């Protein structure tokens, strides 16, 4: 197969401000890590949207299969005891 | 020459460099080899227009004749522009543009680093802002020099040809005259020999890494800083200033 | 049940699931099962959209070097850069469906993929930059706002980002027009002339009337498209007429008048002959735009090759360390 002359795809994750989660912004094309980072900077921070960038080769990302959603995600739905509202606290107890 | 006149000249030269370089980079818009690179080159052009605005506005203030940045950009003729010749050369291919950006951004990086210590508070502030921008231009240009030099035979040939053609225009960046000397005496202007030394070290190192041979200079072109340009500048101005000249009474 | 029947029933089951999801208003994500026709429609629409952004850089790019002030130059350059960025977001969104950018570009070059017809018109004067920003981007944003709620997740997310960024584009164009209308007689004439040339092509941007539009059915059912061509066109006309009046521009349509009963403006007939003539390749700039894009693509090939070759060399060097 011929090499795609538009270079490889990299997924871009941006942190909007220090301490925040990194959020997927989109993707860019680039041939190497440095280029990917620069292209992400020039594409996704034109309005000062970020304080930090991650780039990851697209093909390095493993995604779950939607067909497995029942097995992967449904079993967590009835584990109510994982949430603080499940517990009855004695009246008057503070800071808990 | 008064200090004001020297400072006017100093700001004008820096402003003109930024203006004419931004003009050339803006010509890449919708012409770059990859969409991402199109955005990158445009970002650099935008940085430079911003820098031109600051420096030309300040030049207008220093001159004291009530001229704005636009007056200076759009109402001066060929002999009154004081940018370096390397800024105005046509873009050529991508290798030529990158090699020029490399030579100029490395120079600007060391120059503005020094200008941060200027006794003139406006120039000091412009330098601090500009330094962040040119640091990135330098990184981007350096990476591309390495890719083109170490890429294919064709890219190496092209970037070597660009470096050879541009080399004799690199010397003008470090020229100084009476105006510079006057300002240097009062700690406003940058002392150029150390800038030149650092430029030489960095450039040679990158060219070596990139597999590009360093040309030998038997002559360095000069003239732009004193308003004696290549034929290309006139065409830039006739295009850039067209509306302002054709409709002198209009504001836009 | 034989094998064929079984596949049929699996197919039907898949389609039912998919349409239920759409009905609930859930977004469709890249790895979800989707009908082939949905995927095809999306690729066609997103790539046409992406190509439009990128080709649209050309008519405006034509004026960067001649922008009449540093401020105007800066704004125009930033706007065109945004358009490149928007093209990029949309190519990215299309790529999530397994089609490469290279493939999309080759479809553009072969004529299989289209771009918005509006960019086959020339940007002749500085006022055209105003008209493009105000009218063309104004029309585009009406469509794009509607597409923020499109059913395909990556497309919708790209549109949200695009709409946020586009908000200054129309103002930029309108500001140019307003300034010119306050200026000299030459400037006013230039502005009106641009209005005259760009008004009708802008209305055509929304595509044929609903009664004539071949793709609307499935696209609406599957919520790729959220409003019809005529609805969006009407929305654009209604908001633009007042803006023209405020700055003293005349809309070049003698039949344009407010219809109290409908609560909308009525407009004169659109020249669909012109629309089909331009779309079939005989617009003033079709050839120029494609030649430009092909030339740039071809001229950039050695650069992209060099970048790939450099990466391969570096990887090899690492292996031998």
């Amino acid at each position: 197969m011929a090499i795609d002359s538009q270079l490889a795809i990299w997924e871009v994750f941006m942190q909007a401000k220090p301490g925040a989660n990194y959020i997927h912004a989109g993707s860019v094309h680039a041939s190497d890590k440095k280029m990917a980072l620069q292209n992400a900077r020039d594409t996704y921070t034109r309005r000062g949207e970020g304080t930090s960038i991650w780039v990851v080769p697209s093909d390095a990302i493993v995604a779950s299969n939607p067909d497995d959603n029942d097995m992967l995600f449904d079993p967590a739905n009835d584990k109510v005891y994982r949430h603080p509202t499940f517990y009855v606290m004695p009246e008057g107890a503070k800071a808990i | 020459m008064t200090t004001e006149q020297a400072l006017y000249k100093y700001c004008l030269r820096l402003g003109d460099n930024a203006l004419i370089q931004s003009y050339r980079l803006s010509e890449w818009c919708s012409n770059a080899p990859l969409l991402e690179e199109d955005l990158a080159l445009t970002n650099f052009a935008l940085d430079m227009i911003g820098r031109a605005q600051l420096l030309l506005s300040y030049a207008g203030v220093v001159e004291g004749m009530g001229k704005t940045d636009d007056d200076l950009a759009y109402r001066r003729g060929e002999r009154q522009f004081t940018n370096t010749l390397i800024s105005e050369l046509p873009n050529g291919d991508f290798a030529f543009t990158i090699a020029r950006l490399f030579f100029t951004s490395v120079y600007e990086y060391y120059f503005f680093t020094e200008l941060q210590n200027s006794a003139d508070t406006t120039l000091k502030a412009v330098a601090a802002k500009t330094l962040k921008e040119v640091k990135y231009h330098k990184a981007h240009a350096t990476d591309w020099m390495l890719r083109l030099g170490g890429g294919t035979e064709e890219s190496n040939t092209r970037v070597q040809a660009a470096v050879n053609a541009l080399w004799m225009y690199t010397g003008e960046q470090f020229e100084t005259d009476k105006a510079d000397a006057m300002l240097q005496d009062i700690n406003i202007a940058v002392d150029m020999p150390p800038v030149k030394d650092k430029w030489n070290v960095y450039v040679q190192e990158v060219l070596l890494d990139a597999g590009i041979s360093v040309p030998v200079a038997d002559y360095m072109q000069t003239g732009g800083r004193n308003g004696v340009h290549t034929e290309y500048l006139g065409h830039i101005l006739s295009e850039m200033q067209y509306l302002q000249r054709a409709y002198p009474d209009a504001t836009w | 049940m034989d094998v064929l029947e079984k596949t049929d029933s699996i197919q039907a089951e898949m389609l039912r699931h998919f349409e239920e999801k759409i009905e609930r208003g859930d977004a469709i994500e890249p790895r979800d099962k989707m009908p082939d026709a949905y995927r095809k429609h999306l690729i066609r629409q997103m790539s046409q959209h992406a190509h439009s952004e990128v080709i649209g850089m050309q008519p405006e790019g034509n004026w960067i070097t001649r922008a009449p002030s540093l401020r105007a130059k800066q704004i125009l350059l930033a706007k065109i850069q945004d358009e490149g960025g928007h093209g990029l977001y949309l190519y990215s969104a299309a790529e999530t469906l397994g089609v490469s950018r290279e493939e999309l570009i080759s479809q553009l070059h072969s004529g299989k993929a289209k771009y918005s017809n509006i960019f086959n018109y020339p940007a002749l004067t500085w006022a055209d930059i105003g008209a493009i920003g105000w009218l063309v981007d104004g029309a585009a944003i009406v469509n794009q706002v509607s597409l923020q709620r499109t059913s395909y997740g990556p497309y919708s997310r790209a549109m949200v980002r695009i709409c946020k960024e586009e908000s200054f584009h129309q103002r930029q164009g309108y500001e140019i027009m307003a300034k010119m209308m306050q200026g000299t007689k030459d400037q006013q004439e230039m502005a009106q002339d641009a209005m005259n040339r760009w008004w009708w092509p802008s209305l055509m941007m929304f595509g044929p009337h609903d009664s004539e539009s071949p793709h609307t059915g499935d696209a609406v059912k599957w919520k790729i498209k959220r409003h019809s061509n005529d609805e969006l066109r009407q929305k654009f006309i209604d908001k633009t007429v007042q803006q023209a009046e405020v700055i003293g521009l005349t809309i070049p349509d003698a039949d344009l008048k407010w219809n109290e009963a409908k609560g909308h403006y009525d407009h004169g007939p659109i020249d669909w002959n012109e629309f089909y003539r331009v779309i079939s390749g005989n617009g003033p700039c079709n050839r120029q735009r494609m030649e430009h894009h092909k030339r740039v693509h071809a001229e950039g090939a050695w650069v992209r090759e060099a970048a790939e070759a450099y990466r391969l060399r570096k990887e090899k060097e690492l292996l031998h360390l």
Side-chain angles (χ1 to χ4, degrees), chain B residues 29-33 36 39 43 46 53 70 74 146-147 150 154-155 158 239-240 244 247 250-252, chain C residues 64-70 74 77 80-81 101 126 179 187 190 292 295-296 300 302 304 306 310 313:
Chain B
C29 189
S30 91
N31 287 292
E36 283 80 351
L39 305 192
N43 268 344
L46 285 170
Q53 283 174 318
D70 278 343
Y74 288 91
L146 296 173
R147 286 186 199 106
E154 178 178 9
S155 69
R158 282 178 185 261
E239 199 163 319
M240 182 171 82
Q244 291 265 358
Y247 304 94
T251 51
W252 303 89
Chain C
I64 294 171
T65 55
R66 291 177 289 172
S69 71
L70 295 176
Q74 201 167 38
L77 200 52
I80 302 173
Q81 185 197 37
R101 193 195 290 178
W126 176 249
K179 253 190 193 164
Q187 285 177 299
M190 215 187 270
H292 179 119
R295 174 182 60 75
V296 168
W302 72 266
R304 298 188 296 269
Y310 178 75
R313 170 187 298 213

Side-chain angles (χ1 to χ4, degrees), chain C residues 90-153:
Chain C
L90 288 159
Y91 284 131
S92 288
E95 282 172 322
T96 61
L97 290 171
V99 57
S100 70
R101 193 195 290 178
E102 176 66 8
E103 213 170 320
L104 296 172
I105 290 173
S106 89
Q107 286 173 2
L108 174 69
H109 289 178
S110 73
K112 193 181 160 214
K114 302 272 182 231
Y115 56 89
S116 177
N117 218 17
I118 194 80
F119 301 120
N120 289 320
Y121 291 87
L124 299 178
T125 72
W126 176 249
D128 288 39
I129 296 305
I132 291 175
W134 175 41
L135 299 175
V136 175
D137 286 13
I141 195 105
V142 169
N143 192 27
Q144 287 165 343
V145 164
S146 159
L147 282 170
Q148 289 183 103
R149 291 171 51 238
T150 191
S151 58
Y152 186 57

Side-chain angles (χ1 to χ4, degrees), chain C residues 56-310:
Chain C
M57 296 167 78
Q58 291 181 34
E60 291 179 289
N62 175 38
W63 276 93
I64 294 171
T65 55
R66 291 177 289 172
S69 71
L70 295 176
R71 179 178 181 270
K73 193 194 280 279
Q74 201 167 38
I75 295 170
L76 180 61
L77 200 52
K79 174 177 185 289
I80 302 173
Q81 185 197 37
D82 272 351
E83 273 143 24
H86 299 169
L88 201 154
Y89 303 161
L90 288 159
Y91 284 131
S92 288
E95 282 172 322
T96 61
L97 290 171
V99 57
S100 70
R101 193 195 290 178
E102 176 66 8
E103 213 170 320
L104 296 172
I105 290 173
S106 89
Q107 286 173 2
L108 174 69
H109 289 178
S110 73
K112 193 181 160 214
K114 302 272 182 231
Y115 56 89
S116 177
N117 218 17
I118 194 80
F119 301 120
N120 289 320
Y121 291 87
L124 299 178
T125 72
W126 176 249
D128 288 39
I129 296 305
I132 291 175
W134 175 41
L135 299 175
V136 175
D137 286 13
I141 195 105
V142 169
N143 192 27
Q144 287 165 343
V145 164
S146 159
L147 282 170
Q148 289 183 103
R149 291 171 51 238
T150 191
S151 58
Y152 186 57
Y155 192 20
S156 155
R157 292 193 282 275
M159 290 320 303
V160 169
R161 185 178 273 272
I162 288 172
C163 284
K164 210 157 74 188
E165 297 185 354
E166 285 260 345
S167 51
F168 90 81
H169 293 189
Q170 201 191 0
R171 286 180 171 216
Q172 167 263 355
Y174 190 54
E175 186 191 83
I176 289 176
M177 293 305 249
K179 253 190 193 164
M180 291 182 77
M181 289 307 287
Q182 287 165 2
T184 64
K185 197 164 161 291
D186 281 336
Q187 285 177 299
Q188 291 170 5
E189 282 171 10
M190 215 187 270
Q192 183 63 52
D193 167 64
M195 172 92 209
N196 295 349
R197 282 181 290 110
W198 288 92
W199 174 252
W200 290 104
S202 299
L203 296 192
M204 293 176 200
M205 281 175 72
F206 296 96
H209 289 306
D210 297 345
S211 51
E212 311 277 329
S213 180
H215 300 299
T216 303
D218 277 350
V220 169
K221 183 175 76 184
W222 289 335
K223 297 185 182 168
I224 296 175
K225 224 177 141 151
R226 306 303 306 249
H227 298 92
S228 78
N229 293 353
D230 285 331
E231 278 167 23
L232 295 171
R233 180 165 24 238
Q234 189 66 56
K235 207 171 189 172
F236 170 70
I237 294 171
D238 289 347
K239 72 178 185 124
T240 307
V241 172
Q242 189 265 347
Q243 292 165 6
E245 279 166 3
V246 168
I247 58 174
L249 280 167
T250 310
I251 294 196
D253 179 357
D255 299 324
L256 188 88
K257 57 172 182 294
W258 179 251
N259 183 324
E260 194 63 55
K262 282 200 245 166
H264 292 298
Y265 280 95
D266 288 334
H267 62 86
I270 294 170
D271 182 359
W272 294 110
N273 286 334
E274 174 179 324
F275 177 75
Y276 288 112
R277 173 173 65 78
V278 176
I279 221 169
S280 67
N282 290 319
C285 301
N286 301 51
R287 270 190 44 192
Q288 183 189 343
R289 302 289 183 242
M290 284 310 293
E291 273 168 15
H292 179 119
H293 198 276
K294 285 179 184 170
R295 174 182 60 75
V296 168
H297 186 70
E299 283 176 2
W302 72 266
V303 179
R304 298 188 296 269
E305 274 164 36
E308 281 296 340
Y310 178 75

Side-chain angles (χ1 to χ4, degrees), chain A residues 3-9 25 27-29 31-32 35 42-44 46-47 49 63-67, chain C residues 31-33 81-82 85-86 88-89 92 95 100-102 105 161 165 168-169 297 304 307-308 310-311:
Chain A
I3 299 170
D4 186 331
S5 72
Q6 290 294 306
L7 314 181
I9 307 179
S27 62
V28 290
H29 286 227
S31 60
D32 56 55
M35 196 196 290
D42 284 313
T43 302
Y44 291 101
R46 303 198 303 287
R47 286 167 173 76
E49 294 96 329
S64 64
N65 185 336
D67 286 348
Chain C
R31 301 204 54 187
D32 289 343
K33 293 209 171 71
Q81 185 197 37
D82 272 351
H86 299 169
L88 201 154
Y89 303 161
S92 288
E95 282 172 322
S100 70
R101 193 195 290 178
E102 176 66 8
I105 290 173
R161 185 178 273 272
E165 297 185 354
F168 90 81
H169 293 189
H297 186 70
R304 298 188 296 269
E308 281 296 340
Y310 178 75
R311 175 182 61 84

Side-chain angles (χ1 to χ4, degrees), chain B residues 4 9 16 29 41 54 76 78 82 87 95 98 119-121 146 186-187 191 195 198 202 233 235 250:
Chain B
E4 280 73 29
K9 213 171 189 179
D16 285 348
C29 189
L41 295 176
L54 292 174
R76 278 180 302 149
E78 295 89 330
T82 56
S87 314
I98 286 296
D120 184 290
T121 49
L146 296 173
I186 46 174
N187 294 322
D191 182 25
V195 172
K198 286 176 192 160
Y202 185 89
L233 183 75
H235 292 282

Side-chain angles (χ1 to χ4, degrees), chain B residues 91-192:
Chain B
N91 282 333
D93 61 7
F94 184 70
F96 192 91
T97 292
I98 286 296
R100 170 186 19 218
L101 184 66
F102 175 66
F103 290 143
T104 54
S105 64
V106 173
Y107 154 73
E108 283 166 355
Y109 173 73
Y110 293 118
F111 176 85
F112 285 107
T113 302
E114 293 305 316
L115 193 65
Q116 285 190 113
N117 304 319
S118 174
D120 184 290
T121 49
T122 306
L123 287 179
K124 195 181 166 82
V126 171
K129 177 180 181 292
T130 303
L131 187 60
K132 294 180 195 164
E133 296 165 354
V134 297
K135 202 170 165 184
Y136 187 76
H137 304 173
K138 168 172 158 272
H140 189 86
T142 300
D143 289 346
W144 270 114
M145 289 301 281
L146 296 173
R147 286 186 199 106
L148 297 182
T152 60
E153 205 184 315
E154 178 178 9
S155 69
N156 182 280
T157 308
R158 282 178 185 261
V159 76
Q160 180 71 63
V163 165
N164 293 348
L166 282 160
W167 194 254
M168 66 175 173
Y169 294 98
T170 56
E172 192 188 8
Q173 303 184 103
F174 310 102
E175 283 177 13
T176 52
D177 61 9
K178 249 169 89 184
D180 297 276
M182 265 182 83
L183 295 176
Q184 212 200 309
D185 283 347
I186 46 174
N187 294 322
I188 289 178
V190 169
D191 182 25
M192 291 307 264

